[in-house]
Amino acid sequence: MTGSASASASAQRPLLFLDVDGPLIPFGATPRERPDGYPTYRTSAEAAAADANPLLARINPEFGPRLMALPCDLVWATTWMADANDAVAPWLGLPELPVVSWPDPSDEDERAGLHWKTRPLLDRADGRPFVWVDDEITDTDRAWVTAHHQGRALLHRVDPRQGLTDTDFAALAKWLRAG
């Protein structure tokens, strides 16, 4: 990146790369951990979403305004791809968001233990500060980002059994406002 591109990237708002399964749609808790199952929610988008995916009801619609209030630019970083804009965004009351397109995973990355999303997210960030919210982030991903990204980055792992919590939102807000 050239000096002027670097200066331009640092002046932009941070990106927040957001996964759906795990952070927004919790899963994997045992009956002992959640004897009553996962909570479900209703929204004005419920009728339109009812045919889309029954797991959407696990997404807390209050997350939409909370995500929009963060000082960043939201980007879908999920295998839902454009379906996130068709089904998840209306559920949350979000506008249509940019979507990361995924290349085929690299055998080299898999052998090294690097998540298949890590390189494409760094490419998409293009030097901008970013947060990556996912349930599959590892220390290998953190080390790789530290070694290959010039700007600030927060790789925030969410427990998929819980999904996003108040503690997660507080950590995201603190990091974003510290920039």
Side-chain angles (χ1 to χ4, degrees):
M1 180 180 303
T2 65
S4 62
S6 178
S8 173
S10 65
Q12 295 176 316
R13 286 170 31 115
L15 297 168
L16 189 148
F17 295 119
L18 182 61
D19 186 26
V20 171
D21 296 315
L24 294 177
I25 300 176
F27 67 90
T30 66
R32 173 179 263 164
E33 292 169 317
R34 289 207 176 258
D36 297 328
Y38 283 100
T40 57
Y41 305 90
R42 296 180 175 272
T43 74
S44 59
E46 184 173 6
D51 295 329
N53 186 319
L55 293 178
L56 289 175
R58 289 187 185 175
I59 300 175
N60 185 340
E62 293 176 6
F63 288 174
R66 291 182 79 179
L67 289 165
M68 289 299 294
L70 294 171
C72 61
D73 295 333
L74 300 172
V75 179
W76 293 121
T78 174
T79 56
W80 282 63
M81 305 286 297
D83 289 342
N85 278 322
D86 296 337
V88 180
W91 186 268
L92 291 168
L94 295 176
E96 185 171 313
L97 301 175
V99 177
V100 175
S101 297
W102 306 115
D104 290 332
S106 157
D107 289 340
E108 178 185 338
D109 287 348
E110 288 180 16
R111 284 191 301 274
L114 193 65
H115 194 285
W116 57 270
K117 291 181 180 178
T118 307
R119 284 181 197 261
L121 292 179
L122 245 60
D123 290 344
R124 180 67 177 259
D126 193 26
R128 282 175 75 173
F130 73 90
V131 176
W132 175 20
V133 177
D134 205 305
D135 60 304
E136 297 181 342
I137 296 167
T138 66
D139 288 339
T140 301
D141 301 305
R142 287 185 179 93
W144 198 88
V145 168
T146 297
H148 294 90
H149 182 66
Q150 298 288 327
R152 295 177 64 235
L154 173 65
L155 279 63
H156 187 81
R157 186 182 182 283
V158 172
D159 182 343
R161 297 168 300 173
Q162 299 296 318
L164 283 166
T165 65
D166 289 342
T167 302
D168 294 311
F169 275 104
L172 298 174
K174 181 180 178 182
W175 188 89
L176 288 163
R177 289 187 174 95

Coordinates of all heavy atoms in Angstrom, one line a residue, residues 107-146:
D107 N -5.5 -24.8 0.5 CA -5.0 -25.9 1.2 C -3.8 -25.5 2.1 O -3.7 -26.1 3.2 CB -4.5 -27.0 0.2 CG -5.6 -27.6 -0.6 OD1 -6.8 -27.6 -0.1 OD2 -5.4 -28.2 -1.6
E108 N -3.0 -24.6 1.7 CA -1.9 -24.1 2.5 C -2.4 -23.5 3.8 O -1.8 -23.8 4.9 CB -1.1 -23.1 1.7 CG 0.1 -22.5 2.5 CD 0.8 -21.4 1.7 OE1 0.7 -21.3 0.4 OE2 1.4 -20.5 2.3
D109 N -3.4 -22.7 3.7 CA -4.0 -22.1 4.9 C -4.5 -23.2 5.9 O -4.3 -23.1 7.1 CB -5.1 -21.1 4.6 CG -4.6 -19.8 4.0 OD1 -3.3 -19.6 4.1 OD2 -5.4 -19.0 3.5
E110 N -5.3 -24.1 5.3 CA -5.8 -25.2 6.1 C -4.7 -26.0 6.8 O -4.9 -26.3 8.0 CB -6.7 -26.1 5.3 CG -8.0 -25.5 4.9 CD -8.9 -26.4 4.0 OE1 -8.7 -27.6 4.0 OE2 -9.8 -25.9 3.4
R111 N -3.7 -26.3 6.1 CA -2.5 -27.0 6.7 C -1.9 -26.2 7.8 O -1.4 -26.8 8.8 CB -1.5 -27.4 5.7 CG -1.9 -28.6 4.8 CD -0.8 -29.1 4.0 NE -0.2 -28.1 3.1 CZ -0.6 -27.8 1.9 NH1 -1.7 -28.5 1.4 NH2 0.0 -26.9 1.2
A112 N -1.9 -24.9 7.7 CA -1.2 -24.0 8.7 C -2.2 -23.7 9.8 O -1.8 -23.1 10.8 CB -0.8 -22.8 8.0
G113 N -3.5 -24.2 9.7 CA -4.4 -23.9 10.8 C -5.1 -22.5 10.7 O -5.8 -22.1 11.6
L114 N -4.9 -21.8 9.6 CA -5.5 -20.5 9.3 C -6.9 -20.6 8.9 O -7.2 -21.5 8.0 CB -4.6 -19.7 8.3 CG -4.9 -18.2 8.2 CD1 -4.5 -17.5 9.4 CD2 -4.1 -17.7 7.0
H115 N -7.8 -19.9 9.5 CA -9.2 -19.9 9.0 C -9.3 -19.5 7.6 O -8.6 -18.6 7.2 CB -10.1 -19.1 9.9 CG -11.5 -19.3 9.8 ND1 -12.2 -18.9 8.7 CD2 -12.4 -20.0 10.6 CE1 -13.5 -19.2 8.8 NE2 -13.6 -19.9 10.0
W116 N -10.2 -20.1 6.8 CA -10.3 -19.8 5.4 C -10.9 -18.4 5.2 O -10.7 -17.8 4.1 CB -11.2 -20.8 4.7 CG -12.6 -21.0 5.3 CD1 -13.0 -21.8 6.3 CD2 -13.8 -20.2 4.9 NE1 -14.4 -21.6 6.6 CE2 -14.8 -20.7 5.7 CE3 -14.0 -19.2 4.0 CZ2 -16.1 -20.1 5.6 CZ3 -15.3 -18.7 3.9 CH2 -16.3 -19.2 4.7
K117 N -11.4 -17.7 6.2 CA -11.9 -16.3 6.0 C -10.8 -15.3 6.3 O -10.9 -14.2 5.8 CB -13.0 -16.0 7.0 CG -14.3 -16.7 6.8 CD -15.3 -16.3 7.8 CE -16.7 -17.0 7.7 NZ -17.6 -16.6 8.7
T118 N -9.7 -15.7 6.9 CA -8.7 -14.7 7.4 C -8.1 -13.9 6.3 O -8.1 -12.7 6.3 CB -7.6 -15.4 8.2 OG1 -8.3 -16.2 9.3 CG2 -6.7 -14.4 8.9
R119 N -7.5 -14.6 5.3 CA -6.8 -13.8 4.2 C -7.8 -12.9 3.4 O -7.5 -11.8 3.1 CB -6.2 -14.8 3.2 CG -4.8 -15.3 3.7 CD -4.2 -16.3 2.6 NE -3.2 -17.1 3.2 CZ -1.9 -16.8 3.1 NH1 -1.5 -15.8 2.5 NH2 -1.0 -17.7 3.6
P120 N -9.0 -13.5 3.0 CA -10.0 -12.6 2.3 C -10.4 -11.4 3.1 O -10.6 -10.3 2.5 CB -11.1 -13.6 2.0 CG -10.6 -14.9 2.0 CD -9.5 -14.9 3.0
L121 N -10.5 -11.5 4.4 CA -10.9 -10.4 5.2 C -9.8 -9.3 5.3 O -10.1 -8.1 5.2 CB -11.3 -10.8 6.6 CG -12.6 -11.6 6.7 CD1 -12.9 -12.0 8.2 CD2 -13.8 -10.9 6.1
L122 N -8.6 -9.8 5.3 CA -7.5 -8.8 5.3 C -7.4 -8.1 3.9 O -7.2 -6.9 3.9 CB -6.1 -9.5 5.6 CG -5.4 -9.1 6.9 CD1 -6.3 -9.3 8.1 CD2 -4.1 -9.7 7.0
D123 N -7.6 -8.9 2.9 CA -7.7 -8.3 1.5 C -8.8 -7.2 1.5 O -8.6 -6.1 0.9 CB -7.9 -9.3 0.5 CG -6.7 -10.2 0.3 OD1 -5.6 -9.9 0.7 OD2 -6.8 -11.3 -0.3
R124 N -10.0 -7.6 2.0 CA -11.1 -6.6 2.0 C -10.8 -5.4 2.8 O -11.2 -4.3 2.4 CB -12.4 -7.4 2.4 CG -13.6 -6.6 2.4 CD -14.1 -6.2 1.0 NE -15.3 -5.5 1.0 CZ -16.5 -6.0 0.7 NH1 -16.6 -7.2 0.4 NH2 -17.5 -5.2 0.7
A125 N -10.2 -5.6 4.0 CA -9.9 -4.4 4.8 C -8.9 -3.5 4.1 O -9.0 -2.3 4.3 CB -9.3 -4.9 6.1
D126 N -8.0 -4.0 3.4 CA -7.1 -3.2 2.6 C -6.4 -2.1 3.4 O -6.4 -0.9 3.1 CB -7.8 -2.6 1.4 CG -6.9 -2.0 0.3 OD1 -5.7 -2.4 0.3 OD2 -7.3 -1.1 -0.4
G127 N -6.0 -2.4 4.6 CA -5.3 -1.5 5.5 C -6.1 -0.8 6.5 O -5.6 -0.2 7.4
R128 N -7.4 -0.8 6.3 CA -8.3 -0.1 7.2 C -8.4 -0.9 8.5 O -8.2 -2.1 8.6 CB -9.8 -0.1 6.7 CG -10.0 0.9 5.6 CD -11.4 0.8 5.0 NE -12.4 1.3 5.9 CZ -13.7 1.4 5.6 NH1 -14.1 1.1 4.3 NH2 -14.6 1.9 6.4
P129 N -8.6 -0.2 9.6 CA -8.8 -0.8 10.9 C -10.1 -1.7 10.8 O -11.0 -1.3 10.1 CB -9.0 0.3 11.9 CG -9.1 1.5 11.2 CD -8.7 1.3 9.7
F130 N -10.1 -2.8 11.4 CA -11.3 -3.7 11.4 C -11.5 -4.5 12.6 O -10.5 -4.8 13.4 CB -11.3 -4.6 10.1 CG -10.3 -5.7 10.2 CD1 -10.6 -7.0 10.7 CD2 -9.0 -5.5 9.7 CE1 -9.7 -8.0 10.7 CE2 -8.1 -6.6 9.7 CZ -8.4 -7.8 10.3
V131 N -12.7 -4.9 12.8 CA -13.1 -5.9 13.8 C -13.7 -7.1 13.0 O -14.5 -6.9 12.1 CB -14.2 -5.4 14.7 CG1 -14.7 -6.4 15.7 CG2 -13.7 -4.1 15.5
W132 N -13.3 -8.3 13.4 CA -13.9 -9.5 12.9 C -14.6 -10.2 14.0 O -14.0 -10.6 15.0 CB -12.8 -10.4 12.2 CG -13.3 -11.7 11.7 CD1 -14.5 -12.1 11.4 CD2 -12.4 -12.8 11.5 NE1 -14.5 -13.4 11.0 CE2 -13.2 -13.9 11.0 CE3 -11.0 -13.0 11.6 CZ2 -12.7 -15.1 10.6 CZ3 -10.5 -14.2 11.2 CH2 -11.3 -15.3 10.7
V133 N -16.0 -10.4 13.9 CA -16.8 -11.0 14.9 C -17.2 -12.4 14.3 O -17.9 -12.4 13.3 CB -18.0 -10.2 15.2 CG1 -18.9 -10.9 16.2 CG2 -17.6 -8.8 15.7
D134 N -16.7 -13.4 14.9 CA -16.9 -14.8 14.5 C -16.8 -15.8 15.6 O -16.3 -15.4 16.7 CB -15.9 -15.1 13.4 CG -16.4 -16.2 12.4 OD1 -16.7 -17.3 12.8 OD2 -16.3 -15.9 11.2
D135 N -17.3 -17.0 15.4 CA -17.2 -18.0 16.5 C -16.1 -19.0 16.2 O -15.9 -19.9 17.0 CB -18.5 -18.7 16.7 CG -19.0 -19.4 15.4 OD1 -19.1 -18.8 14.4 OD2 -19.2 -20.7 15.5
E136 N -15.3 -18.8 15.1 CA -14.3 -19.7 14.8 C -12.9 -19.2 14.8 O -12.0 -19.8 14.2 CB -14.6 -20.4 13.4 CG -15.9 -21.1 13.4 CD -16.2 -21.8 12.0 OE1 -15.6 -21.3 11.0 OE2 -17.0 -22.7 12.0
I137 N -12.7 -18.0 15.3 CA -11.4 -17.3 15.3 C -10.4 -18.1 16.3 O -10.9 -18.5 17.4 CB -11.5 -15.9 15.7 CG1 -12.3 -15.1 14.7 CG2 -10.2 -15.2 16.0 CD1 -12.8 -13.7 15.1
T138 N -9.2 -18.2 15.9 CA -8.2 -18.9 16.7 C -7.0 -18.0 16.9 O -6.8 -17.0 16.3 CB -7.7 -20.2 16.0 OG1 -7.0 -19.9 14.8 CG2 -8.9 -21.1 15.7
D139 N -6.1 -18.5 17.8 CA -4.8 -17.8 18.0 C -4.0 -17.7 16.7 O -3.2 -16.7 16.5 CB -4.0 -18.4 19.1 CG -4.7 -18.1 20.5 OD1 -5.5 -17.2 20.6 OD2 -4.4 -18.9 21.4
T140 N -4.1 -18.7 15.9 CA -3.4 -18.7 14.6 C -3.8 -17.6 13.7 O -3.0 -16.9 13.1 CB -3.6 -20.1 13.8 OG1 -3.1 -21.1 14.7 CG2 -2.9 -20.1 12.5
D141 N -5.1 -17.3 13.7 CA -5.7 -16.2 12.9 C -5.2 -14.9 13.5 O -4.8 -14.0 12.7 CB -7.2 -16.2 12.9 CG -7.8 -17.5 12.3 OD1 -7.4 -17.8 11.2 OD2 -8.5 -18.2 13.0
R142 N -5.2 -14.8 14.8 CA -4.7 -13.5 15.4 C -3.3 -13.2 15.1 O -2.9 -12.1 14.8 CB -4.9 -13.6 16.9 CG -6.4 -13.5 17.3 CD -6.5 -13.5 18.9 NE -7.9 -13.3 19.2 CZ -8.7 -14.3 19.5 NH1 -8.3 -15.6 19.5 NH2 -10.0 -14.1 19.8
A143 N -2.4 -14.3 15.2 CA -1.0 -14.1 14.9 C -0.8 -13.7 13.5 O 0.0 -12.9 13.2 CB -0.2 -15.4 15.3
W144 N -1.5 -14.3 12.6 CA -1.4 -14.0 11.1 C -1.8 -12.6 10.8 O -1.1 -11.9 10.1 CB -2.2 -15.0 10.3 CG -1.7 -15.1 8.9 CD1 -0.7 -15.8 8.3 CD2 -2.2 -14.3 7.8 NE1 -0.6 -15.6 7.0 CE2 -1.5 -14.6 6.6 CE3 -3.2 -13.3 7.7 CZ2 -1.8 -14.0 5.4 CZ3 -3.5 -12.7 6.5 CH2 -2.7 -13.1 5.4
V145 N -2.9 -12.2 11.4 CA -3.3 -10.8 11.2 C -2.3 -9.8 11.8 O -2.0 -8.8 11.1 CB -4.7 -10.5 11.8 CG1 -5.1 -9.1 11.9 CG2 -5.8 -11.3 11.0
T146 N -1.8 -10.1 12.9 CA -0.8 -9.2 13.6 C 0.5 -9.1 12.6 O 1.0 -8.0 12.5 CB -0.3 -9.7 14.9 OG1 -1.5 -9.7 15.8 CG2 0.8 -8.9 15.5

